[in-house]
Amino acid sequence: MNIILFDGECHFCDASVQFIMKRDRRKYFKFASIQSDIGQRLLEEFNIPETIDSVVFIEGKKSYVKSTAALKICSRLDGMWRLFSPFLIIPKKFRDAIYDIVAKNRHKLSKKNECKIPTKDELERFLH
């Protein structure tokens, strides 16, 4: 299963989930908030600290965080987003430094104050 764990209390993260769903017509991804029971179980199963301040992408038996997770997710999206995949050759240290700047400021970057209520079709993609 291909699961994206996201901060369920972050409007920027909610917007990111909406962005991904619109560009994932094949429904490759399932979603769960890090704060949910299943999110907590997956963090434990993959030895990821509960305090992680990152999107987490679980693909099969591997997990990815920070810039690697974001770029691996992009590689599965429809359209031009796949063109970001080659950035994986940039050393992780540099990619994650940029990711950390965005993550640190994600609450300021979101212009939304509320989350979108998912449709029935979208709801089926969320793990509980």
Side-chain angles (χ1 to χ4, degrees), residues 74-86:
C74 283
S75 75
R76 297 291 186 173
L77 296 179
D78 301 327
M80 68 176 196
W81 299 101
R82 294 175 183 194
L83 298 176
F84 284 94
S85 308

Side-chain angles (χ1 to χ4, degrees), residues 9-116:
E9 298 171 351
C10 168
H11 296 298
F12 182 81
C13 301
D14 174 64
S16 297
V17 168
Q18 298 304 316
F19 177 90
I20 292 166
M21 283 199 296
K22 285 181 184 174
R23 290 153 184 88
D24 179 28
R25 285 178 277 171
R26 293 168 290 141
K27 299 183 181 179
Y28 183 78
F29 300 110
K30 295 283 187 184
F31 303 89
S33 79
I34 288 174
Q35 294 84 0
S36 68
D37 289 340
I38 194 161
Q40 291 295 299
R41 281 197 314 270
L42 288 167
L43 290 179
E44 186 177 327
E45 182 180 333
F46 285 89
N47 296 315
I48 300 166
E50 278 184 43
T51 57
I52 188 77
D53 192 20
S54 169
V55 64
V56 177
F57 176 40
I58 298 169
E59 188 173 39
K61 296 184 181 199
K62 292 188 175 189
S63 65
Y64 307 95
V65 297
K66 297 190 177 193
S67 65
T68 304
L71 291 170
K72 292 264 186 190
I73 291 167
C74 283
S75 75
R76 297 291 186 173
L77 296 179
D78 301 327
M80 68 176 196
W81 299 101
R82 294 175 183 194
L83 298 176
F84 284 94
S85 308
F87 287 109
L88 285 165
I89 65 170
I90 295 171
K92 186 177 180 318
K93 179 180 178 178
F94 298 113
R95 288 186 281 116
D96 282 352
I98 294 167
Y99 182 95
D100 288 340
I101 291 168
V102 174
K104 184 179 177 183
N105 294 291
R106 71 182 188 264
H107 296 287
K108 295 176 193 170
L109 293 170
S110 179
K111 294 183 169 89
K112 293 173 38 172
N113 288 329
E114 36 191 65
C115 296
K116 176 186 177 289

